[in-house]
Amino acid sequence: MVNTTLVEEWSQVAATAAASAVCDPELPMLTLADLGVLREVRVDGDGGVTAVLTPTYTGCPALAEMRADVVAALRGAGFAEARVETQLSPPWSTDDITAEGRRKLAEAGIAPPGTAPRRAAGPVPLTLGPTHAAAVVACPRCGSADTEETSRFGATACKALRRCRACREPFEQVKEI
Amino acid sequence: MSSDDDHVYLSLAEGHADDARWAFGTGFEDPLHGVDTTLPPGVDAGALTALCLALADDALVAAQRLAQWITLAPELEEEVALANIGLDLLGQARLLYARAGQAEGAGRDEDALAYFRDQADFRNVVLAELPNGDFAHCVVKLLLLSSWRLAELTGLTEHPDPVLAAVARKGVSELTYHRDHAAQWVVRLGDGTEESARRTSAALAELWPYRAELYAAAPQTRDEVEAVLAQVLDAAHLSAPTDAPTATASGRSGEHTEHLAELLAELQSVARADPEATW
């Protein structure tokens, strides 16, 4: 006799493991689980699996690839009926990047994001003056806190460009959103 | 685990039978793929269609103007910044077109709405379609448009349509960066050299009257936008033009300048040359 509960549990573990291990196309050192875009993996009654993803940026061209990669990974793990749902709300924030993800970013020379600004109800206040003066972004190479932003926008939507004043090296930072 | 096939285009092309697909201009996967798109009861489909379409047209046209800065901006970092801002807007446009098409229920998808409507059907504000000028013109226009769009999207985060509300919530974080970027440049140029201040003042004089159209399209944004503009001009040591004429632009009613025709001719030419093609 087959123990259905055990099979279900095993499916859940296997499907979660397969989907969680898929790497982000733009930040390949991170898995989708590290990035925090994999919201849920659900084993459905029909033996199929549904993975729930949330986009990082609305215009991020990587989302279609993430979706295709998750389906391929789930099929590879034996789940022929693999589906992906997209969840738009609540929107993804860099706060969703896990501690493990932050460690991997730093290891790859990309400064992890600080805490994302919390938005109160009503108009978004405009802050002029030195950008992010309060937040200290440490250089991922030499560790110095003496760094400056050279451009708020980098090679991908999620990154800003910075420069270390101590070791003079430029580096990227995942910017808070 | 995913395969060795980790090239973005190969992976994207998986869903297409045609292996020859090597670039992507039309026929992207539906941007609302996998999203629950049921229209909630009580939401007026016609009003939702019109609202999404207007917001999408603003974003598409502004994104196209920003893309025209690529290779022309004063420095590489700035080019990357303008391209990123354009990409955010294009992403918003795709979701909003898809939502407009669903609410309309006439079977039009994002490609049909972006590539196969004529100038008179576009509802973008005229400010978005104005041709690019110098860099001061670029950042003043971006300040006006992004301050206004941020205010409008902030108001839409509680919209009864959950898809529009979700697009607005995400858009608010993106637009906050756009407005910051424009505001910092206006301050830098206004408070910079005599020449940069002169050019920024000239851009303000030209673009200031178009605020009237923005506030006519979304009256609830006026107080917030005016406060932001006053804050930026004060920090930039610039003054608001006082003798600005009243503009009568009304892009929301389909009244556009010849500049939009030119922009659309370029934007739509490939899709229209071979309407059945997917590339």
Side-chain angles (χ1 to χ4, degrees), chain B residues 176-241:
Chain B
T176 302
Y177 273 110
H178 305 176
R179 187 186 66 178
D180 266 20
H181 188 70
Q184 278 163 21
W185 267 116
V186 170
V187 171
R188 201 173 293 138
L189 296 180
D191 197 23
T193 65
E194 211 173 287
E195 175 67 2
S196 69
R198 186 188 64 77
R199 286 182 180 231
T200 312
S201 296
L204 276 171
E206 183 196 330
L207 300 172
W208 202 248
Y210 290 93
R211 283 155 42 263
E213 186 192 9
L214 306 184
Y215 302 146
Q220 71 283 8
T221 61
R222 178 191 285 266
D223 292 349
E224 178 182 336
V225 176
E226 288 292 294
V228 165
L229 295 177
Q231 184 191 353
V232 175
L233 294 192
D234 183 53
H237 300 118
L238 293 166
S239 34

Side-chain angles (χ1 to χ4, degrees), chain A residues 11-12 14 18 22 25 30 37 66-67 69 109 117 119 125 143-144 150 177:
Chain A
S11 298
Q12 181 66 51
V22 172
L30 299 188
V37 296
M66 285 182 194
R67 211 179 270 146
D69 285 350
R119 205 174 71 79
S144 166
T150 49
I177 191 166

Side-chain angles (χ1 to χ4, degrees), chain A residues 18 21-22 55-61 63-65 67-69 72-73 76-77 84-93 119 122-129 131-132 149-158 161 175-177, chain B residues 1-2 5-8 11-12 14 29-36 77-78 80-81 84-85 87-88 90-92 95 150 154 157 163 166-167 169-174 176-181 183-184 187 224 228 231-232 235:
Chain A
V22 172
T56 53
Y57 283 74
T58 1
C60 186
L63 184 64
E65 207 205 346
R67 211 179 270 146
D69 285 350
V84 173
E85 265 176 26
T86 309
Q87 197 181 68
L88 295 177
S89 188
W92 178 81
S93 154
R119 205 174 71 79
V124 182
L126 172 69
T127 317
L128 292 169
T131 58
H132 302 295
E149 184 179 271
T150 49
S151 177
R152 187 74 60 84
F153 299 88
T156 61
C158 53
L161 296 177
K175 66 185 177 208
E176 299 82 15
I177 191 166
Chain B
M1 269 297 296
S2 172
D5 140 27
D6 57 359
H7 190 275
V8 63
S11 182
L12 280 169
E14 259 177 24
E29 191 177 329
D30 175 4
L32 287 174
H33 174 96
V35 176
D36 179 4
E77 284 78 4
E78 197 46 41
V80 173
N84 264 291
I85 294 171
L87 185 64
D88 284 345
L90 195 60
Q92 293 173 16
L95 289 163
L150 177 55
T154 303
T157 54
V163 177
V167 174
R169 260 175 241 143
K170 180 115 267 184
V172 164
S173 334
E174 294 170 350
T176 302
Y177 273 110
H178 305 176
R179 187 186 66 178
D180 266 20
H181 188 70
Q184 278 163 21
V187 171
E224 178 182 336
V228 165
Q231 184 191 353
V232 175

Side-chain angles (χ1 to χ4, degrees), chain B residues 40-195:
Chain B
V43 170
D44 178 344
L48 180 64
T49 307
L51 180 57
C52 288
L53 210 49
L55 289 168
D57 285 345
D58 287 334
L60 178 70
V61 171
Q64 182 75 358
R65 284 292 180 222
L66 287 168
Q68 289 172 342
W69 270 100
I70 296 171
T71 74
L72 299 174
E75 52 185 24
L76 182 62
E77 284 78 4
E78 197 46 41
E79 222 148 66
V80 173
L82 296 177
N84 264 291
I85 294 171
L87 185 64
D88 284 345
L89 292 173
L90 195 60
Q92 293 173 16
R94 292 192 58 201
L95 289 163
L96 290 162
Y97 280 136
R99 190 53 172 163
Q102 289 161 354
E104 183 189 48
R108 292 202 282 183
D109 63 4
E110 53 167 334
D111 286 350
L113 292 169
Y115 293 130
F116 295 96
R117 279 182 311 140
D118 293 325
Q119 159 159 342
D121 300 325
F122 271 75
R123 290 293 177 268
N124 61 281
V125 291
V126 169
L127 181 60
E129 75 200 37
L130 295 181
N132 291 338
D134 63 12
F135 186 64
H137 187 273
C138 170
V139 294
V140 169
K141 186 163 70 172
L142 188 61
L143 177 66
L144 293 172
L145 280 174
S146 58
S147 303
W148 172 65
R149 190 173 178 84
L150 177 55
E152 176 148 39
L153 292 187
T154 303
L156 292 172
T157 54
E158 301 304 327
H159 194 275
D161 176 44
V163 177
L164 177 55
V167 174
R169 260 175 241 143
K170 180 115 267 184
V172 164
S173 334
E174 294 170 350
L175 262 301
T176 302
Y177 273 110
H178 305 176
R179 187 186 66 178
D180 266 20
H181 188 70
Q184 278 163 21
W185 267 116
V186 170
V187 171
R188 201 173 293 138
L189 296 180
D191 197 23
T193 65
E194 211 173 287
E195 175 67 2

